[in-house]
Amino acid sequence: MKVDPRDRSIYRRGVQAAGLVRFELAIKETDLLVLADRDIGDLVREIVINERDRLERYLAAHPEFARSLVPVAVADAAPRIAGAMAAAGAAAGVGPMAAVAGAVCDAVAAGVGDRVRELIIENGGDLYVRVSRERTVGIYTGEKGPALGLLVRPEGGPLGVCTSSGRIGHSLSFGDAAAATIIAG
């Protein structure tokens, strides 16, 4: 089953997080679901606008960065987000754009800092998760609902939970997995 990548409501509609404020923010290709223990929507919007601007200017000057399917080096004057994407791509042996969703989540989390105790950011299947109590993260495969629930505990520290699919989403994929998930600190 191929799911329309523009319909994020398919996997977002079941998100429940007691005690957290929920909001969505879409700016061009960036489409975030943010959950936090207080409203930080204005701050998140400002961070996303600034990070996108830096990255877009870098991509305009270095178009190979956006097209490459293999690791690429960044210029000395590259913005921090481009450096993070290049490092992640190099670690995985892929192009830097494979890391763009997670890099945006990380940039938002860094910008928010300790202004909130709990912060969950979802961007195209990539999540930044920092919780103060146990929470369950659902992994959606395009079937009848979440296929797997991951229990996240506060003592695990901030986590990245990144899911990619050959069946859901607009990202370039050479596979046909319902979902492949990586969890990392």
Side-chain angles (χ1 to χ4, degrees):
M1 171 173 122
K2 184 68 175 173
V3 176
D4 185 341
R6 295 163 298 192
D7 190 2
R8 299 219 192 277
S9 68
I10 290 172
Y11 58 86
R12 286 183 177 171
R13 70 176 154 233
V15 173
Q16 299 173 13
L20 299 183
V21 176
R22 173 192 174 122
F23 63 95
E24 295 188 41
L25 172 68
I27 299 174
K28 298 183 182 179
E29 300 87 355
T30 302
D31 187 355
L32 305 179
L33 168 63
V34 180
L35 302 140
D37 51 87
R38 67 181 188 86
D39 184 358
I40 54 170
D42 291 341
L43 174 61
V44 170
R45 174 178 286 286
E46 179 182 334
I47 294 166
V48 169
I49 288 169
N50 289 333
E51 292 296 333
R52 282 195 60 91
D53 180 62
R54 289 180 191 109
L55 184 57
E56 287 171 357
R57 282 188 279 123
Y58 187 77
L59 292 174
H62 302 88
E64 72 284 356
F65 190 86
R67 290 191 306 264
S68 182
L69 298 179
V70 297
V72 297
V74 293
D76 291 338
R80 184 177 7 234
I81 192 168
M85 292 166 57
V94 298
M97 292 303 289
V100 69
V104 169
C105 288
D106 285 347
V108 169
V112 168
D114 61 2
R115 290 178 179 93
V116 295
R117 288 184 34 226
E118 287 196 80
L119 180 62
I120 302 170
I121 307 165
E122 185 271 329
N123 185 15
D126 289 8
L127 288 91
Y128 171 91
V129 182
R130 183 178 76 220
V131 296
S132 63
R133 68 181 212 192
E134 288 185 351
R135 302 270 185 190
T136 302
V137 173
I139 305 299
Y140 184 76
T141 62
E143 301 302 324
K144 296 178 180 130
L148 177 68
L150 303 172
L151 183 63
V152 178
R153 295 188 170 107
E155 62 270 17
L159 294 175
V161 179
C162 302
T163 301
S164 185
S165 172
R167 300 177 189 169
I168 304 168
H170 62 274
S171 298
L172 176 64
S173 176
F174 296 111
D176 189 32
T181 300
I182 301 291
I183 304 163

